[in-house]
Amino acid sequence: MTAIKLSAVYKTYPNGFCALNDINMEIPSGEFVAVLGASGAGKSTLLRAINGLDPATAGSITVGDLAVARHSYRKIRRQTGMIFQHFNLIDGLNVMTNVLTGRLANRHWLSSLFYLFSEPDYRIAEDALREVDLLEKAWNRADTLSGGQQQRVGIARALAQQPGIILADEPVASLDPKSSVEVLDLLKKICTEKGITVLVNLHQVEFAVRYADRIIALNQGRLIFDGQPAQLDQSFLNTIYN
């Protein structure tokens, strides 16, 4: 089954800058895909186009059986977990409430406004925290945790959505090497054991080769590599980071 499909996708900004240039690719369900490219290559734009945060200006994107379009954004974001470089946690709230925010798309707007969650929501959040080995920190303030722990809370929040896809935008860029390995080990485990498709932007080539089933690479908005890690030799790397 196809999790994500892009056909002739372009993203051009009003100033004329083309961030995505004729992107065509198909990602099967349950695949762990790393996206490489220099800063400004279009990696973040790609992820944001997939979940409709920064819509493509031409071409088509489908997530599962849904076309990415204004009328489907809510449904797509409900089934697509997003993990950010700088965690995007609410520092003044405890860990449990931060994870429960992953359930907001499933709640009535009034419940969402007052952070009102059901008993099943709490069980889902507890399971997510157990998955990232942070259940004992559930009632600690988010800003008392280390960077690696905060990113694991971000992963738990994504898991609380019960997504079919996780999009991770530079999830280890702000972390030390040990925490980076812990986070990527966790994402790989989630992909392998839960069958969740993971698309992760990385700067570190060694991590992409170590964890990914498949690597895609962008340069100036163009897709210039799409293959297995073993195929990524020095000549390709020179092209990617030229």
Side-chain angles (χ1 to χ4, degrees), residues 9 15-16 18 22 57 62 66 80 86 93 95 121 128 132 141 149 158 172 180 185-186 191 204 214 224:
V9 169
N15 65 0
C18 185
D22 194 22
T57 48
T62 57
L66 292 172
T80 305
H86 297 295
L93 296 181
V95 166
D121 287 332
V132 302
R141 275 178 53 126
Q149 289 174 328
V172 299
S180 297
D185 280 348
L186 186 54
C191 177
Q204 302 91 336
R214 172 181 171 192
I224 61 168

mmCIF file of all heavy atoms in Angstrom, residues 9 15-16 18 22 57 62 66 80 86 93 95 121 128 132 141 149 158 172 180 185-186 191 204 214 224:
data_model
loop_
_atom_site.group_PDB
_atom_site.id
_atom_site.type_symbol
_atom_site.label_atom_id
_atom_site.label_comp_id
_atom_site.label_asym_id
_atom_site.label_seq_id
_atom_site.Cartn_x
_atom_site.Cartn_y
_atom_site.Cartn_z
ATOM 1 N N VAL A 9 5.306 17.693 -8.419
ATOM 2 C CA VAL A 9 5.047 18.686 -7.376
ATOM 3 C C VAL A 9 6.037 19.846 -7.461
ATOM 4 O O VAL A 9 7.256 19.646 -7.535
ATOM 5 C CB VAL A 9 5.104 18.029 -5.982
ATOM 6 C CG1 VAL A 9 5.102 19.089 -4.879
ATOM 7 C CG2 VAL A 9 3.932 17.078 -5.801
ATOM 8 N N ASN A 15 7.938 35.435 -4.447
ATOM 9 C CA ASN A 15 9.144 36.125 -4.944
ATOM 10 C C ASN A 15 9.814 35.396 -6.105
ATOM 11 O O ASN A 15 10.869 35.809 -6.591
ATOM 12 C CB ASN A 15 10.150 36.341 -3.807
ATOM 13 C CG ASN A 15 10.702 35.029 -3.247
ATOM 14 O OD1 ASN A 15 10.346 33.938 -3.703
ATOM 15 N ND2 ASN A 15 11.560 35.134 -2.256
ATOM 16 N N GLY A 16 9.200 34.260 -6.526
ATOM 17 C CA GLY A 16 9.730 33.508 -7.649
ATOM 18 C C GLY A 16 10.643 32.362 -7.274
ATOM 19 O O GLY A 16 11.030 31.561 -8.141
ATOM 20 N N CYS A 18 11.813 28.859 -6.313
ATOM 21 C CA CYS A 18 11.233 27.520 -6.484
ATOM 22 C C CYS A 18 11.866 26.575 -5.470
ATOM 23 O O CYS A 18 13.011 26.146 -5.634
ATOM 24 C CB CYS A 18 11.451 27.019 -7.906
ATOM 25 S SG CYS A 18 10.642 25.440 -8.251
ATOM 26 N N ASP A 22 9.431 19.871 -9.601
ATOM 27 C CA ASP A 22 9.051 18.639 -10.302
ATOM 28 C C ASP A 22 9.431 17.389 -9.514
ATOM 29 O O ASP A 22 10.164 16.522 -9.979
ATOM 30 C CB ASP A 22 9.692 18.605 -11.696
ATOM 31 C CG ASP A 22 9.076 17.526 -12.588
ATOM 32 O OD1 ASP A 22 7.926 17.108 -12.322
ATOM 33 O OD2 ASP A 22 9.753 17.100 -13.544
ATOM 34 N N THR A 57 2.287 24.426 -5.016
ATOM 35 C CA THR A 57 1.638 25.340 -5.958
ATOM 36 C C THR A 57 1.267 24.654 -7.266
ATOM 37 O O THR A 57 0.514 25.218 -8.065
ATOM 38 C CB THR A 57 2.552 26.543 -6.246
ATOM 39 O OG1 THR A 57 3.871 26.076 -6.552
ATOM 40 C CG2 THR A 57 2.630 27.462 -5.040
ATOM 41 N N THR A 62 -0.765 12.788 -2.541
ATOM 42 C CA THR A 62 -1.764 11.988 -1.834
ATOM 43 C C THR A 62 -1.123 11.367 -0.607
ATOM 44 O O THR A 62 0.046 10.950 -0.637
ATOM 45 C CB THR A 62 -2.365 10.883 -2.733
ATOM 46 O OG1 THR A 62 -1.301 10.052 -3.233
ATOM 47 C CG2 THR A 62 -3.128 11.472 -3.891
ATOM 48 N N LEU A 66 -6.107 9.993 0.454
ATOM 49 C CA LEU A 66 -6.572 11.384 0.479
ATOM 50 C C LEU A 66 -5.660 12.287 -0.332
ATOM 51 O O LEU A 66 -4.430 12.271 -0.163
ATOM 52 C CB LEU A 66 -6.620 11.910 1.917
ATOM 53 C CG LEU A 66 -7.667 11.309 2.857
ATOM 54 C CD1 LEU A 66 -7.432 11.810 4.270
ATOM 55 C CD2 LEU A 66 -9.073 11.669 2.395
ATOM 56 N N THR A 80 -1.228 12.085 10.420
ATOM 57 C CA THR A 80 0.179 12.355 10.143
ATOM 58 C C THR A 80 0.803 13.050 11.345
ATOM 59 O O THR A 80 0.533 14.224 11.602
ATOM 60 C CB THR A 80 0.330 13.240 8.890
ATOM 61 O OG1 THR A 80 -0.351 12.628 7.799
ATOM 62 C CG2 THR A 80 1.788 13.421 8.530
ATOM 63 N N HIS A 86 12.928 21.767 17.116
ATOM 64 C CA HIS A 86 12.966 22.446 18.413
ATOM 65 C C HIS A 86 11.828 22.009 19.319
ATOM 66 O O HIS A 86 11.371 22.776 20.178
ATOM 67 C CB HIS A 86 12.958 23.963 18.197
ATOM 68 C CG HIS A 86 14.160 24.457 17.449
ATOM 69 N ND1 HIS A 86 15.434 24.374 17.948
ATOM 70 C CD2 HIS A 86 14.291 25.002 16.205
ATOM 71 C CE1 HIS A 86 16.298 24.866 17.071
ATOM 72 N NE2 HIS A 86 15.630 25.248 16.004
ATOM 73 N N LEU A 93 3.419 23.516 30.607
ATOM 74 C CA LEU A 93 2.525 22.390 30.867
ATOM 75 C C LEU A 93 3.338 21.137 31.193
ATOM 76 O O LEU A 93 4.502 21.018 30.826
ATOM 77 C CB LEU A 93 1.633 22.118 29.652
ATOM 78 C CG LEU A 93 0.655 23.228 29.254
ATOM 79 C CD1 LEU A 93 -0.160 22.794 28.044
ATOM 80 C CD2 LEU A 93 -0.263 23.589 30.423
ATOM 81 N N VAL A 95 4.286 17.041 31.075
ATOM 82 C CA VAL A 95 4.552 16.138 29.954
ATOM 83 C C VAL A 95 3.270 15.477 29.476
ATOM 84 O O VAL A 95 3.012 15.391 28.260
ATOM 85 C CB VAL A 95 5.598 15.087 30.376
ATOM 86 C CG1 VAL A 95 5.658 13.937 29.382
ATOM 87 C CG2 VAL A 95 6.968 15.744 30.540
ATOM 88 N N ASP A 121 -8.353 8.855 26.060
ATOM 89 C CA ASP A 121 -7.238 9.698 25.649
ATOM 90 C C ASP A 121 -6.061 9.554 26.605
ATOM 91 O O ASP A 121 -4.903 9.474 26.176
ATOM 92 C CB ASP A 121 -7.660 11.172 25.592
ATOM 93 C CG ASP A 121 -8.555 11.494 24.415
ATOM 94 O OD1 ASP A 121 -8.444 10.810 23.383
ATOM 95 O OD2 ASP A 121 -9.369 12.433 24.533
ATOM 96 N N ALA A 128 1.747 5.904 24.953
ATOM 97 C CA ALA A 128 2.758 6.600 24.155
ATOM 98 C C ALA A 128 3.979 6.946 25.007
ATOM 99 O O ALA A 128 5.128 6.781 24.567
ATOM 100 C CB ALA A 128 2.162 7.857 23.531
ATOM 101 N N VAL A 132 8.087 5.541 24.801
ATOM 102 C CA VAL A 132 9.331 6.326 24.741
ATOM 103 C C VAL A 132 10.066 6.328 26.084
ATOM 104 O O VAL A 132 11.008 7.089 26.287
ATOM 105 C CB VAL A 132 9.052 7.773 24.284
ATOM 106 C CG1 VAL A 132 8.365 7.782 22.929
ATOM 107 C CG2 VAL A 132 8.237 8.559 25.310
ATOM 108 N N ARG A 141 7.010 19.208 34.575
ATOM 109 C CA ARG A 141 6.921 20.254 33.553
ATOM 110 C C ARG A 141 7.851 19.907 32.395
ATOM 111 O O ARG A 141 8.969 19.422 32.606
ATOM 112 C CB ARG A 141 7.306 21.607 34.143
ATOM 113 C CG ARG A 141 6.166 22.338 34.832
ATOM 114 C CD ARG A 141 6.650 23.640 35.436
ATOM 115 N NE ARG A 141 7.351 24.501 34.486
ATOM 116 C CZ ARG A 141 7.038 25.768 34.239
ATOM 117 N NH1 ARG A 141 6.006 26.324 34.868
ATOM 118 N NH2 ARG A 141 7.740 26.480 33.389
ATOM 119 N N GLN A 149 15.094 14.093 26.151
ATOM 120 C CA GLN A 149 13.798 13.717 26.731
ATOM 121 C C GLN A 149 12.667 14.524 26.112
ATOM 122 O O GLN A 149 11.591 13.980 25.830
ATOM 123 C CB GLN A 149 13.839 13.922 28.244
ATOM 124 C CG GLN A 149 14.712 12.920 28.983
ATOM 125 C CD GLN A 149 14.853 13.249 30.459
ATOM 126 O OE1 GLN A 149 14.850 14.414 30.856
ATOM 127 N NE2 GLN A 149 14.983 12.230 31.284
ATOM 128 N N ALA A 158 3.285 12.621 18.923
ATOM 129 C CA ALA A 158 2.950 12.129 17.583
ATOM 130 C C ALA A 158 2.276 10.757 17.670
ATOM 131 O O ALA A 158 1.288 10.494 16.973
ATOM 132 C CB ALA A 158 4.203 12.061 16.720
ATOM 133 N N VAL A 172 17.013 15.479 15.224
ATOM 134 C CA VAL A 172 18.192 15.334 16.089
ATOM 135 C C VAL A 172 19.178 16.487 15.913
ATOM 136 O O VAL A 172 20.276 16.455 16.465
ATOM 137 C CB VAL A 172 18.900 13.983 15.837
ATOM 138 C CG1 VAL A 172 17.954 12.830 16.145
ATOM 139 C CG2 VAL A 172 19.418 13.861 14.408
ATOM 140 N N SER A 180 20.815 11.740 20.067
ATOM 141 C CA SER A 180 20.441 11.563 18.665
ATOM 142 C C SER A 180 20.227 10.095 18.342
ATOM 143 O O SER A 180 19.241 9.723 17.692
ATOM 144 C CB SER A 180 21.528 12.147 17.750
ATOM 145 O OG SER A 180 21.659 13.529 17.925
ATOM 146 N N ASP A 185 16.933 5.526 17.158
ATOM 147 C CA ASP A 185 16.611 4.133 17.519
ATOM 148 C C ASP A 185 15.119 3.988 17.763
ATOM 149 O O ASP A 185 14.487 3.015 17.336
ATOM 150 C CB ASP A 185 17.371 3.714 18.780
ATOM 151 C CG ASP A 185 18.817 3.324 18.525
ATOM 152 O OD1 ASP A 185 19.198 3.148 17.347
ATOM 153 O OD2 ASP A 185 19.573 3.205 19.512
ATOM 154 N N LEU A 186 14.555 4.964 18.458
ATOM 155 C CA LEU A 186 13.139 4.934 18.796
ATOM 156 C C LEU A 186 12.272 5.057 17.537
ATOM 157 O O LEU A 186 11.300 4.301 17.347
ATOM 158 C CB LEU A 186 12.829 6.058 19.774
ATOM 159 C CG LEU A 186 11.435 6.134 20.383
ATOM 160 C CD1 LEU A 186 11.043 4.828 21.038
ATOM 161 C CD2 LEU A 186 11.392 7.271 21.411
ATOM 162 N N CYS A 191 8.788 2.437 13.463
ATOM 163 C CA CYS A 191 8.551 2.075 12.064
ATOM 164 C C CYS A 191 8.486 0.557 11.907
ATOM 165 O O CYS A 191 7.562 0.025 11.282
ATOM 166 C CB CYS A 191 9.659 2.656 11.200
ATOM 167 S SG CYS A 191 9.552 2.227 9.454
ATOM 168 N N GLN A 204 22.888 14.526 8.890
ATOM 169 C CA GLN A 204 23.974 13.589 9.145
ATOM 170 C C GLN A 204 23.852 12.383 8.209
ATOM 171 O O GLN A 204 22.988 11.512 8.383
ATOM 172 C CB GLN A 204 23.944 13.116 10.599
ATOM 173 C CG GLN A 204 24.036 14.251 11.613
ATOM 174 C CD GLN A 204 22.672 14.787 12.038
ATOM 175 O OE1 GLN A 204 21.688 14.671 11.318
ATOM 176 N NE2 GLN A 204 22.628 15.367 13.222
ATOM 177 N N ARG A 214 15.619 3.544 2.810
ATOM 178 C CA ARG A 214 15.723 4.244 1.533
ATOM 179 C C ARG A 214 16.131 5.683 1.814
ATOM 180 O O ARG A 214 15.731 6.262 2.827
ATOM 181 C CB ARG A 214 14.366 4.200 0.846
ATOM 182 C CG ARG A 214 14.197 5.030 -0.407
ATOM 183 C CD ARG A 214 12.772 4.837 -0.881
ATOM 184 N NE ARG A 214 12.370 5.710 -1.964
ATOM 185 C CZ ARG A 214 11.091 5.846 -2.349
ATOM 186 N NH1 ARG A 214 10.142 5.155 -1.749
ATOM 187 N NH2 ARG A 214 10.784 6.651 -3.346
ATOM 188 N N ILE A 224 17.430 14.454 -6.635
ATOM 189 C CA ILE A 224 18.609 14.036 -7.401
ATOM 190 C C ILE A 224 19.110 12.647 -7.000
ATOM 191 O O ILE A 224 20.017 12.116 -7.648
ATOM 192 C CB ILE A 224 19.751 15.058 -7.252
ATOM 193 C CG1 ILE A 224 20.188 15.181 -5.790
ATOM 194 C CG2 ILE A 224 19.341 16.404 -7.821
ATOM 195 C CD1 ILE A 224 21.488 15.945 -5.630
#
